[in-house]
Amino acid sequence: MSVQERKERERAEREHLIVATARELAEQQGWDAVTTRRLAERIEYSQPVLYSHFRGKREIIGAVALEGAAEMATALRAATSGANSPRERVAALARAYLDFAEHNPAVYDALFQLDGGLPYAREDTPEPLKDAFAALLECLAEVAGDGVHPGLFTEVFWAALHGLATLTRAGRLLPEDAEPRVELLVDRLAMV
């Protein structure tokens, strides 16, 4: 391995450590607790080293969002892969999405609530974000209905899931009604 390759590997390892530490801190204490000073202390590097990887917290949030988008896409595809019918796939997709939001609140916030400097719904949207949307679209396109654009249907279904996720996390919806909400969403919106 050349010196340059070693330096690149070490740089990638440091960057991964920064992102993982930010994510861990955000999951434990919320995003307000994630500061460059605190991250530098936790990873035992100076703040200038941290700034050599990320210009600030916004870029770190973006990096967590991209990592989370890849994880979400994987979780959605895994959940729907074993389903035997369109209805089962859509229900599995909804449950997996809501489970992801519940079990990864800081990542979910990085993806959909906070400014990570990432462009959404544009040509220059990063691939992990496009792939997370594609994981939704792959499942929902088959139930969009005649004359309904699959992408538009996916956006509306996704918006409904996002609403359920954020309202549940905020304590605005009773957690014991989570499953009836999924069933209603699948039956009425997806009509499968």
Side-chain angles (χ1 to χ4, degrees):
M1 176 180 298
S2 73
V3 171
Q4 182 63 28
E5 289 172 330
R6 181 181 51 78
K7 285 182 180 183
E8 287 174 12
R9 186 192 75 228
E10 289 171 354
R11 180 172 176 75
E13 288 171 356
R14 269 193 316 272
E15 191 167 301
H16 175 74
L17 178 62
I18 293 166
V19 171
T21 304
R23 183 176 173 170
E24 177 183 316
L25 187 57
E27 292 290 1
Q28 291 171 350
Q29 300 176 31
W31 278 104
D32 287 343
V34 179
T35 64
T36 54
R37 178 185 307 267
R38 201 176 246 170
L39 284 174
E41 289 171 3
R42 281 210 174 187
I43 63 173
E44 298 178 347
Y45 283 105
S46 68
Q47 283 184 290
V49 169
L50 195 137
Y51 282 117
S52 74
H53 291 273
F54 299 99
R55 286 181 280 191
K57 183 175 176 176
R58 182 179 186 220
E59 284 189 3
I60 294 169
I61 290 168
V64 170
L66 293 176
E67 188 177 273
E71 291 171 13
M72 178 182 275
T74 299
L76 297 177
R77 287 186 176 111
T80 59
S81 67
N84 295 318
S85 70
R87 187 188 192 295
E88 285 181 22
R89 276 188 289 285
V90 173
L93 175 86
R95 288 184 194 102
Y97 184 95
L98 295 171
D99 285 347
F100 185 89
E102 179 185 353
H103 293 102
N104 302 282
V107 173
Y108 192 82
D109 286 347
L111 272 164
F112 302 121
Q113 305 285 71
L114 302 174
D115 178 12
L118 302 172
Y120 284 76
R122 297 188 347 207
E123 198 170 298
D124 61 339
T125 298
E127 284 306 314
L129 298 177
K130 288 180 181 179
D131 191 47
F133 184 78
L136 292 165
L137 181 63
E138 290 161 10
C139 178
L140 296 169
E142 70 179 318
V143 299
D146 294 337
V148 178
H149 187 278
L152 184 61
F153 179 79
T154 300
E155 289 172 349
V156 171
F157 198 91
W158 171 31
L161 289 173
H162 177 70
L164 290 174
T166 55
L167 289 170
T168 300
R169 274 186 54 202
R172 303 297 196 270
L173 300 175
L174 296 172
E176 59 268 19
D177 290 336
E179 187 57 28
R181 282 188 208 100
V182 167
E183 294 297 321
L184 184 61
L185 182 64
V186 171
D187 290 340
R188 298 296 170 97
L189 188 56
M191 293 193 288
V192 288

